[in-house]
Amino acid sequence: MDVRFTTESGAVRGFRASDDIVAVLGIPYAAPPFGAARFRGPLPPRPWAGTRDCTAFGPVAPQSAELPGAPVWSPGDEDVLTVNVWTPARGPARAAGGHLPVLVWIHGGAYAFGSSAQPDFDGTVLARAGLVVVTLNHRIGFEGFGHVPGRPGNRGLLDQIAALRWTRDNIAEFGGDPGNVTLAGHSSGAASVTCLMAMDRACGLFHRAVAHSPAAPFHTPATAGATAREIAAAAGCPATAEGLSGATPQALVTASDRVVAAYRADPSSGSRHYDPSLFAPVLDGDTLPADPLAALAAGAARDVDLLVCRTTEEYWLLDAVGGCAKITTDERLDRFAEDFGLPGSLVDGYRAAMPHAPVSDVHLALFGDLVFGEFTHRLAEAHARTGGRAYVSRFDRRYGGEGRAAVRAWHCADVPFAFGTLDDERLAFLTGGAPGAEDRALSRRMVRAWADFAATGDPGWPPLARDGTTPPEARVWVTGDQPADHPPAPASLPARALWTEVAFPVLHP
């Protein structure tokens, strides 16, 4: 059954994703960012005549195909700046002519891969909980975050702002309330959320924020410029606006992959050897005037309610997929700390807190807290100290047994539970597959928390107090059937005091 809506650019046709939910996919929110528009800020979408068919996801942004199953961009796929909408087909709010809270989702992927079409991000269950759900694609990799002389930086963030403007101007047509928008994201998407909290250009476009496992690294202009020169050299072009524009998007993706591979193979490259992420928001003083932690500590966005979550074992996923260097000896662990400028007392503290763990586990616990866990806590605490409402939670659900490989409470594992997509077999590497009754009950609780937070600013547990007296993790997401013999979770150990000597945000040298 066709379902039609009218946007400012033209009419669109969606479809019934289920009896009670309508989905409209691949709606352009900005013009294709190629040709003369390449490396520029986003431009308004091109109007169309008639009714545009929006029953399939739009093209993905140019990105690496090195990862198994990664989506592939081709030169004909120019409409990469699109949004998808899920909205209840009927219900009390619709019957009364009212509008529902809106949740806008930014995908993760180290600013270099991923898309809104991933199965984790289907908005059907959240829409059924009473939200209008919007997910978006934005420029990633060099197209979105690479330094191009004379061109705006942080183009991926500017795309996200354009999607929020589209939401403000069009979402009422889909039953959403443009005055009650929650911006949510995971990993680099969550860090993007915190960046937008710090950006004047995004002020007023959203009213609440959800950040699951925000990543700490940000780049200085010097680092971004040096990376751009390395990528240009690998692509065989000058590191100028003209030279980089003359290289195809595929050529810059391939060149970026070569630079990453070179860092991974060279232990002398310091912190880049352990975490060869090339792209991150750039603290350029223009598009992004300050890092999110400093901005929140100064009171930016204190009127925006903030809900953060981290997983207990973040970096075990990166290890499982080969996304970080293996550290198996104490000597290598000490070198790791030196390369990141971490005090020896921090490493010794983790060793003492995990006396029976192998060195590799100590490294993963430390790295996960460096990149995700400690940054997550500091964001919430900085926000609370200036009077903002900040809620903290931790995902600790783990699975193993019945001949299945163990699935830890690792990076990304929380997302299918919060979206209610854990039954999708394609996500078994995150969830363990075959979810039981306890898993579904956990998912319902997380969906309800997001829906309530988006509607009222209250997810169901106390916020942090300004004086720090409220426990920092008032909600731990866990099922009632955790294996009794599961080893203790390293991140649940009292290690936060060890971080007092470490300055944030983490910047690559």
Side-chain angles (χ1 to χ4, degrees), residues 349-431:
Y350 271 74
R351 286 181 175 125
M354 305 170 64
H356 305 297
V359 172
S360 59
D361 279 7
V362 176
H363 164 247
L364 294 174
L366 179 60
F367 211 171
D369 284 347
L370 172 68
V371 177
F372 300 108
E374 181 66 13
F375 183 60
T376 299
H377 286 293
R378 292 193 185 199
L379 282 169
E381 290 164 354
H383 196 53
R385 280 195 298 270
T386 62
R389 283 205 299 181
Y391 300 86
V392 180
S393 59
R394 176 165 56 88
F395 185 83
D396 195 40
R397 180 266 187 188
R398 283 159 281 165
Y399 175 81
E402 300 180 2
R404 295 179 180 271
V407 172
R408 292 181 175 267
W410 51 25
H411 196 59
C412 301
D414 49 337
V415 175
F417 286 83
F419 268 84
T421 54
L422 65 163
D423 281 301
D424 194 305
E425 293 181 356
R426 293 170 290 180
L427 304 176
F429 73 101
L430 293 177
T431 65

Side-chain angles (χ1 to χ4, degrees), residues 11-36:
V12 294
R13 177 190 300 111
F15 65 99
R16 291 288 183 115
S18 62
D19 288 343
D20 55 343
I21 303 299
V22 170
V24 192
L25 310 179
I27 311 170
Y29 67 83
F34 301 103

Side-chain angles (χ1 to χ4, degrees), residues 178-248:
N180 190 5
V181 175
T182 295
L183 182 62
H186 174 266
S187 194
S188 61
S192 296
V193 168
T194 66
C195 287
L196 267 59
M197 293 177 72
M199 295 171 68
D200 289 341
R201 304 180 196 210
C203 184
L205 294 175
F206 60 99
H207 312 89
R208 299 185 180 94
V210 176
H212 274 229
S213 301
F218 298 90
H219 287 172
T220 64
T223 298
T227 299
R229 290 189 289 274
E230 290 182 86
I231 292 172
C237 68
T240 62
E242 294 74 16
L244 292 163
S245 296
T248 66

